Amino acid sequence: MDIESKVNKLINEGFEFKLEQYIATGFAIFKREYGLFIGFSIVGVLISMAAAFIPVVGSIAQIVLTGDLNLGYFYVARKIKLGKKPTFEDFFKPFNSIGKIAGVALLTSLVTIIGFICLIIPGIYFTVAWSLAIPIIYFYSGIGVWDSMEASRRIVSKHWLSFFLLVICLLFINIAGALCLVVGLLVTIPVSHLIMYAAFDDIMKPDEQNQEHNNEDDIPLEELND
């Protein structure tokens, strides 16, 4: 199913937002490969910090790299869901699509920053509304930057308050991680991305359009919690 058909189906038929399931699934996926997730989180933070020190374009480089690094969690989580053994190199597979990911990351960041500067409420709205834009452009082929942003906005707006509550929950999870002598962030940062992956996968079901995987290899998210 192409992205336009998927969006229209979700808008017209609606969908259930399962906050508790997404949180439980995020922790469950983390427990399956916690060593890999913690190791990548350390590497990811170091890469992001190094990018910030690049002269002139440091902030831009950090935004672009962060978009790809965050998708690394999604890629590995999807591989676990498909019953496959991930490797550390898998976290960097999204860099193969760095061009289109960069476009979404930069445009959403720019408009969101403008929204916060002009008035805080638009900034908050767009931060939540575009939370699925990067994974949409990565997991769905043949979609442009603006179309992925619009697809995310339309879908999220169907349950905007639920997505906003999810973002708030992730914020508090990471605050709790920071309070644990900051070391807790090595757990809460990957878990936060895995929770977002669980939401994205349950709502968007990107593997429905992917013919390279057999359905019997696909592990339902509920079973990951067992």
Side-chain angles (χ1 to χ4, degrees), residues 111-193:
V111 177
T112 300
I113 290 172
I114 293 175
F116 275 110
I117 292 175
C118 296
L119 194 59
I120 294 178
I121 293 178
I124 295 175
Y125 170 76
F126 286 124
T127 297
V128 177
W130 287 333
S131 57
L132 301 181
I134 290 179
I136 283 176
I137 200 170
Y138 180 70
F139 286 102
Y140 283 84
S141 59
I143 182 173
V145 171
W146 181 253
D147 288 337
S148 68
M149 293 166 61
E150 267 298 280
S152 176
R153 185 193 63 79
R154 291 175 62 198
I155 293 168
V156 171
S157 295
K158 191 75 175 178
H159 287 282
W160 190 90
L161 288 177
S162 296
F163 276 96
F164 178 68
L165 179 59
L166 173 59
V167 171
I168 295 299
C169 288
L170 298 183
L171 176 63
F172 278 106
I173 286 174
N174 283 289
I175 289 175
L179 292 176
C180 296
L181 301 179
V182 185
V183 178
L185 288 172
L186 295 178
V187 173
T188 60
I189 288 176
V191 165
S192 296
H193 292 297

